[in-house]
Amino acid sequence: MLRPQDTSTRERKPLGGLWSFRLDAAGDGRRDQWFAAPLADAREMAVPASYNDIIPGAESRDHVGDAWYETTAVVPRGWAGQRIVLRFDSATHAAVVWVDGVEVMAHSGGYTPFEADITSLVEPGQKVRITAVVNNELTFETVPPGIINDTPEGRRQVYFHDFYNFAGLHRQVWLYATPTTYVGDITVVTDIDGADGVVDYAVDVAGDGTAEVRVRLLDADGTEVATGAGASGQLRVPNAHLWAPGDGYLYTAVVELVDGVEVVDSYEQTVGIRTVKVDGAKFLINGEPFYFTGFGRHEDTPVRGKGHDDAFLVHDFDLMNWIGANSFRTSHYPYAEEVYDYADRQGIVVIDETTAVGLNLGLMGGVFGGIKLETFSPDTLGQVAQDAHRQVIRELIERDKNHPCVVMWSIANEPESHTDASEQYFRPLFELARELDPSRPVGFVNVMMSPHGGCKVADMSDVLMLNRYYGWYVDHSDLGNAERNWRKEMDGWASENKPIIITEYGADTIAGMHSVNGDPWSEEYQRDYLEMNHRVFDDYEQVVGEHVWNFADFRTSNAIFRVGGNKKGIFTQDRKPKAAAHLLRERWTNLGR
Ligand code: BDP
């Protein structure tokens, strides 16, 4: 799905700001048609932002159910005769949207965009009322899953993943206009042939007219380097400047629909020319072995929760650059599109993950609720959940397929993967991802409870992505045993002749807590823990990457093993470095592999 753009034929209007807002735990609004008139008894709420931490008190923190958002906007006068679209970059986790009381769309899945053509409902120059009901419930029909319990104090959400269930309108909302014949979609796939860059493109022409497709590829200085004609084709760029880690060089494909001499629509698609390939135990970018350094991250900032924030975006990338990180994983959901655009320009490599986290009820049910449930069954994660999982794979790939920064799809984090049921659940999902995008490796992130020899899904993965906590969740405070056990397990995985990325390793650390004995939770222990892990990684050439868990401390639900959230950050939630940041900087800026 193409992002809205301002071009010679297109215009967009961001609707972020303060919206009317009302929590509706009782679920009265849908029945009483709150969308039919201006929202009564509303307060104001920032968009984009999670609402949870903005309003003090347990009512918004523990809210389960609907939250209503409403704004008004004037449709620009100049949009007469255009196709007018309303787009939400995301709504967490599900939404229904009305324009002047008329339902225009519904969407499930909290981290991907959705839009509706509202041309017939609006009058350019006039004001419209936009109402959205955003629901944050997680059940066995959603990905991620959850359970809602009735209690005398109200409904309570339980979930099986380790980050706070922030909700709301986390990203921008747009009104935008395109011509009535328009570029519906663009797909670019790049290759390298000697010194030439090769760009295969395909353009969907949508709408009511017919038009010819013309493509002009410009280099970063705006000089035309190749042209194409027709809805699909191939462009060759002699002596191409490749996109590479640390060198976010981008060409721009100006895609035009032309009718005679008239340019009917114009869209600018950035293109990074690069290849990604797995060869034995190597991960190759542009044919060169690549070693991932960086983090699993979260969209999580004080007050805003998961709301996108450009200041934190730029600051976080500057911190990653400072520390020598060349990559990160979008654990555990698709991030805001601004993040990928910026990563493209910064030459930062991204492992792009779906929302499939917490699909491990044996493990997490035990920890979280004392109940042990079968993960994949008709009563728990069955057909409906698998369909939701399919949908998020599809929407992720459709949204992010053109980003050179994205080098791999991660279709799940730490699911159950040691049972026959998990094998059956995942096989068609891997097939789907490969069918949607044959150009990138596909993988999933393996959990410690599914060690080498016991995992039935690892075979389907192009790359082995392992989350391991030797020295934290096992062999706690005993780094000697931790190292021995880690090496023993690694020997097994290393025999697979596949690249291995350690997608998580980390130790909870309270910033400012110190210990001459290297006690756990101290800044010293985090350093010792990381050093032990690095000794292990450096002895295995099959290890092609290390992503520390986590870039920054982040909010979680309350639990006896969480003190004000997850403290495995190398930076605090407000981005102050712990001692380990300096250790990583020293290692990653000098790493010769
Ligand atoms: C892993 C999860 C991650 C958690 C982390 C932890 O993938 O989401 O936050 O462990 O416990 O199981 O810190």
Side-chain angles (χ1 to χ4, degrees):
M1 186 192 280
L2 296 179
R3 292 194 74 195
Q5 258 188 12
D6 290 309
T7 69
S8 58
T9 60
R10 292 172 170 241
E11 205 176 331
R12 62 191 177 152
K13 179 169 178 168
L15 301 184
L18 293 180
W19 288 42
S20 296
F21 177 82
R22 184 171 168 185
L23 292 175
D24 178 21
D28 294 335
R30 297 186 200 228
R31 187 196 57 221
D32 296 345
Q33 306 202 334
W34 289 2
F35 50 83
L39 195 57
D41 301 322
R43 52 163 292 148
E44 291 185 58
M45 180 52 64
V47 174
S50 305
Y51 53 75
N52 309 80
D53 278 357
I54 290 183
I55 311 170
E59 192 195 347
S60 75
R61 189 197 61 198
D62 298 338
H63 176 73
V64 180
D66 287 343
W68 291 77
Y69 284 84
E70 181 194 87
T71 193
T72 55
V74 173
V75 178
R77 215 167 34 146
W79 290 5
Q82 303 281 297
R83 166 182 166 261
I84 298 167
V85 182
L86 174 62
R87 183 203 219 242
F88 284 67
D89 283 355
S90 71
T92 313
H93 297 280
V96 182
V97 178
W98 294 264
V99 169
D100 285 336
V102 178
E103 182 178 331
V104 294
M105 57 183 154
H107 182 261
S108 310
Y111 301 89
T112 40
F114 54 101
E115 63 179 30
D117 181 336
I118 59 167
T119 317
S120 63
L121 295 173
V122 301
E123 196 62 53
Q126 301 296 310
K127 197 181 267 183
V128 289
R129 183 165 44 82
I130 298 165
T131 314
V133 61
V134 181
N135 184 279
N136 69 349
E137 296 176 21
L138 299 174
T139 68
F140 286 141
E141 305 202 337
T142 61
V143 172
I147 298 175
I148 297 169
N149 293 322
D150 282 320
T151 76
E153 287 74 41
R155 296 198 306 153
R156 290 285 175 265
Q157 177 76 64
V158 176
Y159 43 95
F160 314 106
H161 55 268
D162 182 41
F163 55 92
Y164 192 74
N165 188 32
F166 282 117
L169 295 180
H170 290 153
R171 298 172 190 164
Q172 194 53 271
V173 180
W174 307 90
L175 271 181
Y176 73 93
T178 73
T180 52
T181 300
Y182 59 99
V183 177
D185 195 16
I186 301 170
T187 307
V188 293
V189 178
T190 63
D191 203 354
I192 303 168
D193 182 13
D196 292 359
V198 180
V199 181
D200 285 312
Y201 73 87
V203 176
D204 280 352
V205 181
D208 56 11
T210 52
E212 298 296 314
V213 177
R214 190 164 76 188
V215 181
R216 292 183 293 127
L217 192 70
L218 312 180
D219 68 14
D221 297 327
T223 306
E224 188 173 290
V225 293
T227 58
S232 62
Q234 190 171 80
L235 311 172
R236 280 192 93 83
V237 185
N239 286 316
H241 186 149
L242 302 181
W243 186 96
D247 183 9
Y249 190 90
L250 296 174
Y251 292 86
T252 301
V254 181
V255 175
E256 290 171 329
L257 302 188
V258 279
D259 186 4
V261 288
E262 193 199 349
V263 174
V264 180
D265 191 17
S266 166
Y267 192 91
E268 298 195 352
Q269 175 63 56
T270 48
V271 178
I273 300 176
R274 59 109 185 88
T275 59
V276 178
K277 212 174 155 223
V278 169
D279 182 13
K282 293 198 172 76
F283 193 98
L284 305 176
I285 299 182
N286 302 336
E288 301 281 326
F290 179 66
Y291 191 87
F292 296 75
T293 58
F295 302 96
R297 297 179 57 208
H298 266 300
E299 292 187 314
D300 178 293
T301 57
V303 184
R304 252 177 205 254
K306 292 203 173 311
H308 174 72
D309 185 312
D310 277 339
F312 272 98
L313 167 68
V314 174
H315 186 51
D316 286 356
F317 273 63
D318 274 3
L319 290 177
M320 286 196 287
N321 186 38
W322 172 84
I323 207 168
N326 59 20
S327 56
F328 64 91
R329 174 170 60 115
T330 68
S331 39
H332 299 305
Y333 37 84
Y335 288 5
E337 288 168 86
E338 288 85 343
V339 178
Y340 302 77
D341 283 344
Y342 197 54
D344 283 345
R345 295 196 294 275
Q346 296 292 312
I348 290 281
V349 169
V350 174
I351 299 174
D352 206 0
E353 189 158 279
T354 69
T355 55
V357 57
L359 278 60
N360 204 332
L361 307 185
L363 161 73
M364 301 314 264
V367 175
F368 282 84
I371 21 158
K372 285 235 174 199
L373 293 167
E374 225 177 293
T375 302
F376 301 110
S377 80
D379 295 336
T380 52
L381 302 179
Q383 190 62 49
V384 182
Q386 199 193 28
D387 285 346
H389 199 158
R390 275 199 181 86
Q391 185 192 333
V392 69
I393 292 172
R394 194 173 295 116
E395 291 184 5
L396 176 74
I397 295 178
E398 278 170 5
R399 193 193 71 162
D400 294 343
K401 62 187 173 186
N402 292 331
H403 286 288
C405 67
V406 174
V407 299
M408 176 159 44
W409 308 112
S410 164
I411 66 170
N413 179 71
E414 296 195 343
E416 174 181 304
S417 62
H418 64 286
T419 54
D420 291 342
S422 59
E423 186 180 346
Q424 280 156 23
Y425 178 91
F426 275 102
R427 198 166 293 285
L429 299 183
F430 273 89
E431 280 164 13
L432 175 68
R434 292 201 167 94
E435 177 191 314
L436 292 169
D437 181 11
S439 79
R440 288 179 179 86
V442 181
F444 87 110
V445 173
N446 163 288
V447 66
M448 191 150 188
M449 266 55 72
S450 237
H452 182 254
C455 182
K456 299 198 169 172
V457 182
D459 273 355
M460 302 175 209
S461 241
D462 294 313
V463 174
L464 300 169
M465 293 189 273
L466 308 179
N467 290 354
R468 288 300 180 274
Y469 288 93
Y470 288 102
W472 190 255
Y473 290 123
V474 293
D475 301 321
H476 189 77
S477 317
D478 182 356
L479 293 177
N481 253 329
E483 182 167 348
R484 278 185 291 279
N485 287 328
W486 201 176
R487 285 178 187 277
K488 218 178 288 163
E489 193 194 350
M490 188 70 94
D491 286 342
W493 290 111
S495 68
E496 294 287 336
N497 194 31
K498 282 188 182 186
I500 300 170
I501 300 173
I502 311 308
T503 32
E504 290 185 24
Y505 63 113
D508 281 282
T509 304
I510 305 290
M513 180 173 152
H514 291 284
S515 158
V516 283
N517 305 322
D519 290 332
W521 298 87
S522 69
E523 296 199 28
E524 286 76 12
Y525 189 80
Q526 192 179 35
R527 291 184 56 120
D528 295 346
Y529 169 95
L530 294 177
E531 275 181 329
M532 178 280 282
N533 272 272
H534 297 154
R535 274 198 300 279
V536 177
F537 306 162
D538 288 346
D539 282 346
Y540 293 86
E541 60 184 13
Q542 295 84 349
V543 173
V544 301
E546 52 194 61
H547 278 173
V548 175
W549 190 254
N550 187 287
F551 172 72
D553 292 345
F554 60 91
R555 287 280 311 281
T556 63
S557 59
N558 293 331
I560 45 166
F561 54 99
R562 294 287 173 257
V563 186
N566 188 308
K567 301 292 185 195
K568 295 193 184 71
I570 294 302
F571 297 92
T572 57
Q573 196 197 27
D574 62 352
R575 277 47 176 176
K576 299 289 180 293
K578 299 179 191 171
H582 300 282
L583 175 141
L584 288 170
R585 182 169 194 243
E586 175 69 22
R587 174 174 167 83
W588 288 346
T589 54
N590 291 301
L591 203 66
R593 51 186 294 180

